[in-house]
Amino acid sequence: MKTSYKFKNAQQLGELIDDYFLYIKGEYELTQPKGRSAKSIQKIYSREPEFPTISSLALFLGFDSMKDFKQYEGMRHYSKFFNHARLRIEAAYQQLLFEKPTATIFALKSMGWNDKPGATKTSTETHKTLKVEMTSTGPKPASTEKEVDVLI
């Protein structure tokens, strides 16, 4: 079976991964509306930016399935580049945690992250722990019924 991957060696793979991260930034022109100051320069996109994902990276590199992508990801001479790309994608999701935590936590879990401390690791996977801390600004809950004021 002939492969349709866009790379022939590890160095070319690294260059294509860099190309992917440039590609997802989109394409735009800087324009200045007439009669406006130089501070009002705007970006007009001809191709909107995209969020980085493992699947879109795999498609960009010419893979037809995630199974093939993961197989190449495990190859010693390619693993450095795939690991770096995965780390860049995870970093993008981590930055998104403050805006959309629920969806981002789901995405990070699908990449192998774990939000439960002390969870057991499988022999073939490494899990990263994602700590989510909830804070509240309201009154502290009563610990016993005696602390609750009852109006009769």
Side-chain angles (χ1 to χ4, degrees):
M1 175 183 221
K2 187 177 178 182
T3 60
S4 59
Y5 311 134
K6 297 178 180 179
F7 57 94
K8 304 271 188 262
N9 56 46
Q11 185 63 33
Q12 191 178 21
L13 171 64
E15 292 168 4
L16 281 169
I17 288 172
D18 288 340
D19 290 348
Y20 165 76
F21 284 99
L22 286 174
Y23 175 80
I24 63 171
K25 288 183 178 184
E27 292 179 4
Y28 61 88
E29 290 183 20
L30 296 176
T31 62
Q32 183 175 0
K34 293 180 181 178
R36 303 276 176 121
S37 69
K39 292 181 182 178
S40 64
I41 293 177
Q42 298 174 336
K43 288 182 182 179
I44 305 297
Y45 282 94
S46 58
R47 188 175 47 76
E48 291 290 322
E50 302 172 28
F51 200 79
T53 66
I54 298 293
S55 299
S56 64
L57 172 62
L59 288 169
F60 187 87
L61 295 174
F63 287 94
D64 295 325
S65 71
M66 287 306 296
K67 180 182 175 185
D68 290 345
F69 179 86
K70 289 178 182 179
Q71 183 179 3
Y72 269 75
E73 193 174 23
M75 292 181 179
R76 186 174 48 90
H77 53 288
Y78 293 129
S79 63
K80 171 186 171 185
F81 297 101
F82 281 115
N83 288 338
H84 187 73
R86 187 175 286 276
L87 187 61
R88 288 172 76 175
I89 292 170
E90 288 178 11
Y93 277 103
Q94 284 179 308
Q95 291 173 354
L96 194 60
L97 270 171
F98 298 101
E99 294 175 35
K100 300 176 182 176
T102 304
T104 305
I105 290 169
F106 175 79
L108 287 170
K109 280 183 174 184
S110 74
M111 288 186 233
W113 286 59
N114 186 356
D115 64 346
K116 293 178 178 60
T120 59
K121 296 179 183 177
T122 63
S123 60
T124 58
E125 296 181 356
T126 339
H127 292 283
K128 300 169 189 134
T129 302
L130 176 65
K131 183 179 178 183
V132 177
E133 192 172 307
M134 302 296 286
T135 59
S136 71
T137 58
K140 204 173 189 181
S143 58
T144 67
E145 285 186 27
K146 292 179 183 178
E147 292 180 12
V148 179
D149 290 335
V150 180
L151 297 174
I152 301 179

